[in-house]
Amino acid sequence: MALVMVGACYIDTILTTPYYPGEDDKLRASSLHKRRGGNCPNSAEVLAQILAEDKSSTGCKTPAWDPIELVSVLPARSSTASREIIASFGQGVSLDHCVYREGHSEPASSYIIKSQANSSRTIVNYNELEEMECQDIRLAIDALAGRAAWFHFEGRNPPVACFAMQTIRKEYPHIKLSVEIEKPGREGLPQLAGEADVVFFSKSWAQDQKYVSAEECVREQAKTASKARYLFCTWGQDGAVGNDIARSQIIHGQAFQPEKVVDTIGAGDTFIAGMLFALMRREEQWILARKLDFANRLAGLKVAQEGFAGLG
Ligand code: FRU
């Protein structure tokens, strides 16, 4: 069975600076990294490693797990950018059902200032590729839902994500649905939360809603996320909180603090990878506290290193 992840793919250009510059300042960066990013792609890269490791450590007892299917909008299939993006993943992630925009050669880009003074990462995006439309996601559903156990959505383009979630719910009711609610102020996100079995809220979205803690966010959101079984909210250095709605259990998981914070870009994406693994592969064996611990540890390991390699 497959996990399908639907979300945008970026090329990240990351400048590490001693502190965050003021407007109109001039500042010398200490390093420049360029890598493939995007919330779902980052999560997929991490999750593919954990699934491969899980398969090899449990030997043939683990049922075969198909590659993760990433559904992103990319430039023309033959473009250098798309070929490099495909090559940036190992065998565990398939991009066969991405939406390739012929006539375009440039991928979506993020320019990121990573400040060493307070470990912040300030992201400015540029994207000239048209967002996914209902007909694009319909094609991906038709191709993939027959062998999918789970669809995860980055909460962008809410009308299309909502259409996809409702379609899957109606036609393939056994498939689990999860969604990430990250961007403050984006309209339509609460409706998406209302369609999912599992919802991941970000600290910035929760704060924008005037929640003062992750706990308050998952407690209050349980009143409207009517189909959800689990709600999660990450809170940076304060870890994450999970609400197991079926058991009326709200649990706080400590963040795993590395000795040195190296790279916080994608820490939330890594938490999601860890939690999706826990929910898909350890749902029965691990209690909620252990699931949170696993995802927090993984995010902590990520923060201690540059990029996402070697996390499996
Ligand atoms: C990190 C990230 C980056 C990307 C940006 C998109 O979470 O996915 O890799 O450029 O966010 O918003």
Side-chain angles (χ1 to χ4, degrees):
M1 297 300 274
L3 161 69
V4 183
M5 305 191 82
V6 184
C9 184
Y10 286 85
I11 297 298
D12 292 349
T13 303
I14 304 162
L15 286 170
T16 304
T17 55
Y19 54 89
Y20 185 76
E23 191 169 347
D24 219 19
D25 264 4
K26 265 192 181 183
L27 180 62
R28 185 181 285 255
S30 59
S31 72
L32 183 148
H33 285 97
K34 208 167 171 188
R35 69 181 187 224
R36 193 266 309 122
N39 296 13
C40 284
N42 292 339
S43 301
E45 182 176 349
V46 176
L47 192 47
Q49 295 175 55
I50 317 171
L51 288 170
E53 163 62 24
D54 185 48
K55 200 169 163 195
S56 70
S57 65
T58 47
C60 40
K61 275 182 270 156
T62 309
W65 189 263
D66 284 351
I68 295 167
E69 292 285 349
L70 180 64
V71 182
S72 292
V73 177
L74 295 180
R77 198 172 194 138
S78 58
S79 64
T80 307
S82 284
R83 278 192 272 123
E84 285 177 0
I85 286 168
I86 293 169
S88 73
F89 293 99
Q91 285 185 332
V93 184
S94 154
L95 285 85
D96 288 349
H97 298 280
C98 281
V99 181
Y100 291 94
R101 297 276 185 236
E102 300 307 326
H104 286 270
S105 57
E106 293 303 317
S109 306
S110 286
Y111 294 87
I112 306 180
I113 294 181
K114 203 170 86 179
S115 152
Q116 287 176 311
N118 58 6
S119 306
S120 69
R121 88 295 177 264
T122 304
I123 305 180
V124 181
N125 297 138
Y126 178 69
N127 185 10
E128 61 182 30
L129 299 171
E130 269 164 53
E131 287 287 337
M132 217 174 280
E133 288 171 22
C134 289
Q135 72 218 39
D136 299 316
I137 194 70
R138 177 77 247 191
L139 285 176
I141 293 171
D142 290 346
L144 296 168
R147 59 185 174 83
W150 196 298
F151 269 70
H152 173 77
F153 292 85
E154 176 190 354
R156 58 188 289 131
N157 201 1
V160 173
C162 197
F163 161 79
M165 293 170 89
Q166 288 175 345
T167 304
I168 297 166
R169 188 71 82 195
K170 191 157 141 238
E171 297 175 13
Y172 304 89
H174 62 282
I175 293 181
K176 294 268 184 268
L177 299 174
S178 56
V179 68
E180 179 190 17
I181 304 297
E182 185 194 33
K183 190 139 195 287
R186 182 174 278 163
E187 258 182 60
L189 291 183
Q191 287 88 312
L192 292 187
E195 295 295 334
D197 298 291
V198 177
V199 187
F200 297 96
F201 297 100
S202 73
K203 180 179 176 182
S204 50
W205 185 84
Q207 284 180 323
D208 188 58
Q209 299 293 306
K210 309 282 180 274
Y211 296 133
V212 296
S213 65
E215 186 176 5
E216 186 186 2
C217 174
V218 297
R219 192 168 7 86
E220 290 305 309
Q221 284 297 310
K223 295 175 186 161
T224 49
S226 56
K227 298 177 187 150
R229 163 74 201 267
Y230 291 106
L231 303 179
F232 297 98
C233 182
T234 49
W235 211 265
Q237 290 181 340
D238 289 334
V241 172
N243 187 350
D244 179 342
I245 294 175
R247 292 205 169 91
S248 304
Q249 210 181 34
I250 293 184
I251 303 261
H252 172 247
Q254 301 269 351
F256 179 83
Q257 303 281 0
E259 260 171 46
K260 185 163 184 264
V261 174
V262 175
D263 176 20
T264 59
I265 303 161
D269 309 335
T270 306
F271 175 90
I272 289 178
M275 189 51 74
L276 286 178
F277 173 80
L279 294 172
M280 291 187 315
R281 307 300 277 168
R282 299 287 188 274
E283 172 59 350
E284 302 301 330
Q285 298 99 309
W286 291 356
I287 59 169
L288 181 58
R290 179 135 186 229
K291 292 183 174 101
L292 280 166
D293 189 58
F294 179 79
N296 276 329
R297 252 169 213 281
L298 198 64
L301 289 176
K302 188 269 150 297
V303 163
Q305 66 166 50
E306 201 68 62
F308 303 91
L311 290 173

